[in-house]
Amino acid sequence: MLLSRLRFTFGITDNVSEWLSSYLSNRSQYVAFDGHRSTTETITLGVPQGSVLAPLLFATYLSPIQNLFQSFGVLHQQYADDTQIYISVTPQSLTSVSNNLQDCLSAVKDWFSHNGLVINPDKSETLLLSTPQRIKKLDSLGFANINVGGTAVSFSDNMRTLGITLDSTLTFNKHVENICRSGYCHLRAIRHIRKIIDEADANALARAFVQSRLDYCNSLLFNTSENNFSKLQRLQNSLARIVTQSPRCIPSLSLLQYLHWLPIKHRVNYKIASLTFKIWQSGRPQPLSELLHKYTCGRSQRSLYINTLVKPRTHLALCDKSFSVAAPQVWNALPLEMRLCTSHQNFHTNLKSTLFTAAFG
């Protein structure tokens, strides 16, 4: 089945097809436990686990499922064996959307069964994203769970996807807690060995084990609460104090300046501005590019509005965290010469300098 999809859907033929056929055929496996070994059986399904090609071949095998989702008007995303589907719902459309979603999940279950796969309800999660008021209203209307593979899966308060913890109201409070818990764990480990390593090595460890967690998908934290920013900033300040071995009488801001580390809020703006520049120059990735609209004016423009983006009007604080709002707000605040810049290297160098000046003066 996999070789057939590679041939007829992706045009993999001739020598490459024969190579993949040889790679997948005549494989066997057995189970060993406590000194005992099962009989050897020939593998007729699946791809070699742990191999470099396995994720790509598995994604190829699952590729027809996108047509199934589209037939029900349901959006989806896939990453390896993790499949996510999502759809918008209002109190007025609750019944029709719920029925459509259940029909889609039933069709997906049947497709998996016909293709030697199975949906595990125990590993399935559902999350309702909205304002607290709307969530309560939908819950009062009976929208409290989704049937997955014959099992009712109740809505969770939060769920983890690709290292990001999403909560139902997108406050990212739980995500920040997880970052701090992991960050302080590594921070304590660095503190234990700080006396036997020099500052350069301590700085490298700090960037690898803690700063990387602070920077991972940090653009999602745009317009999050001041409490969340404070928690993350305290983590970064503690890390800087350990790297520099400075006493508490020295201000944290001066330590960050010495290490040339941007504070948390400015790191978030850096990530958003960098991503916006990439979209401005290349139009990719397309899903994000479609959210941005260049400002145009019929009469002669003032320099203030040259190469700026339109910031959409929003009516909910939840919407103010979206990329379509964050990107114009951060981009339009940049100096004109940066908005006109076309060099990737020059832009990021000037961006770091601009944010560094804004942070430390």
Side-chain angles (χ1 to χ4, degrees):
M1 295 173 68
L2 174 58
L3 292 173
S4 175
R5 282 174 192 155
L6 288 170
R7 175 182 293 273
F8 296 106
T9 304
F10 297 94
I12 304 298
T13 58
D14 302 330
N15 291 339
V16 178
S17 178
E18 294 177 4
W19 174 64
L20 289 172
S21 176
S22 174
Y23 174 71
L24 296 171
S25 303
N26 299 321
R27 288 186 174 271
S28 58
Q29 67 179 12
Y30 64 87
V31 177
F33 177 73
D34 196 22
H36 301 280
R37 173 174 162 174
S38 69
T39 57
T40 301
E41 298 290 341
T42 301
I43 300 176
T44 59
L45 294 173
V47 294
Q49 187 173 7
S51 62
V52 175
L53 288 177
L56 179 61
L57 292 176
F58 186 81
T60 302
Y61 188 74
L62 286 182
S63 60
I65 203 173
Q66 64 180 337
N67 299 324
L68 183 62
F69 289 130
Q70 291 175 359
S71 66
F72 285 92
V74 176
L75 301 174
H76 80 290
Q77 292 180 348
Q78 289 178 277
Y79 183 82
D81 62 343
D82 185 12
T83 301
Q84 298 178 0
I85 63 175
Y86 50 99
I87 192 170
S88 60
V89 60
T90 63
Q92 295 75 24
S93 64
L94 177 59
T95 302
S96 60
V97 169
S98 179
N99 292 337
N100 181 59
L101 188 58
Q102 295 296 169
D103 293 341
C104 177
L105 288 171
S106 297
V108 170
K109 178 187 176 184
D110 294 339
W111 187 92
F112 271 54
S113 298
H114 286 113
N115 286 270
L117 301 171
V118 65
I119 295 178
N120 189 349
D122 294 335
K123 293 185 177 181
S124 300
E125 294 181 285
T126 58
L127 183 67
L128 186 60
L129 300 171
S130 187
T131 62
Q133 297 80 7
R134 180 60 59 86
I135 291 176
K136 290 181 180 179
K137 185 172 183 179
L138 291 173
D139 182 63
S140 65
L141 295 174
F143 194 55
N145 57 67
I146 297 294
N147 189 290
V148 180
T151 302
V153 180
S154 301
F155 289 117
S156 304
D157 293 330
N158 58 78
M159 64 180 293
R160 189 174 177 85
T161 173
L162 298 180
I164 301 297
T165 303
L166 300 175
D167 57 274
S168 56
T169 54
L170 293 181
T171 62
F172 291 102
N173 294 341
K174 186 67 175 179
H175 177 63
V176 170
E177 289 178 8
N178 292 338
I179 293 176
C180 292
R181 184 182 301 110
S182 175
Y184 280 114
C185 178
H186 290 287
L187 186 146
R188 287 190 292 269
I190 296 174
R191 181 189 289 118
H192 288 320
I193 63 172
R194 178 62 186 91
K195 293 182 179 180
I196 61 175
I197 60 176
D198 58 24
E199 185 175 298
D201 290 337
N203 197 341
L205 289 175
R207 293 197 305 269
F209 289 101
V210 182
Q211 291 277 42
S212 61
R213 285 169 168 76
L214 293 174
D215 291 339
Y216 179 69
C217 291
N218 61 347
S219 57
L220 295 173
L221 298 177
F222 182 82
N223 267 346
T224 192
S225 67
E226 289 296 328
N227 186 42
N228 283 339
F229 276 125
S230 296
K231 290 180 180 179
L232 296 175
Q233 192 58 62
R234 284 196 295 270
L235 172 60
Q236 189 188 40
N237 294 344
S238 300
L239 185 65
R241 200 168 297 280
I242 291 175
V243 170
T244 58
Q245 292 186 306
S246 301
R248 292 188 176 276
C249 60
I250 299 179
S252 299
L253 197 63
S254 63
L255 300 180
L256 298 179
Q257 184 177 11
Y258 166 75
L259 293 171
H260 216 72
W261 291 357
L262 285 173
I264 298 299
K265 280 189 177 181
H266 292 84
R267 299 179 86 89
V268 171
N269 290 341
Y270 181 93
K271 181 67 70 65
I272 295 174
S274 177
L275 184 56
T276 306
F277 175 79
K278 177 183 178 181
I279 297 172
W280 185 278
Q281 295 296 321
S282 65
R284 297 289 185 273
Q286 186 176 353
L288 293 182
S289 178
E290 293 174 350
L291 299 176
L292 305 182
H293 305 281
K294 296 182 180 180
Y295 177 82
T296 57
C297 184
R299 54 184 180 273
S300 59
Q301 298 181 352
R302 296 172 55 189
S303 61
L304 180 64
Y305 301 105
I306 295 177
N307 278 20
T308 56
L309 296 169
V310 177
K311 182 181 178 182
R313 294 182 178 180
T314 59
H315 303 286
L316 295 173
L318 188 67
C319 301
D320 292 337
K321 302 176 182 179
S322 64
F323 183 75
S324 59
V325 173
Q329 183 170 326
V330 174
W331 179 262
N332 295 346
L334 296 177
L336 174 61
E337 59 271 15
M338 291 188 62
R339 301 199 304 268
L340 295 174
C341 183
T342 58
S343 169
H344 181 275
Q345 182 176 356
N346 291 341
F347 176 82
H348 286 86
T349 300
N350 293 332
L351 177 61
K352 179 68 178 290
S353 299
T354 299
L355 295 177
F356 194 84
T357 301
F360 304 108

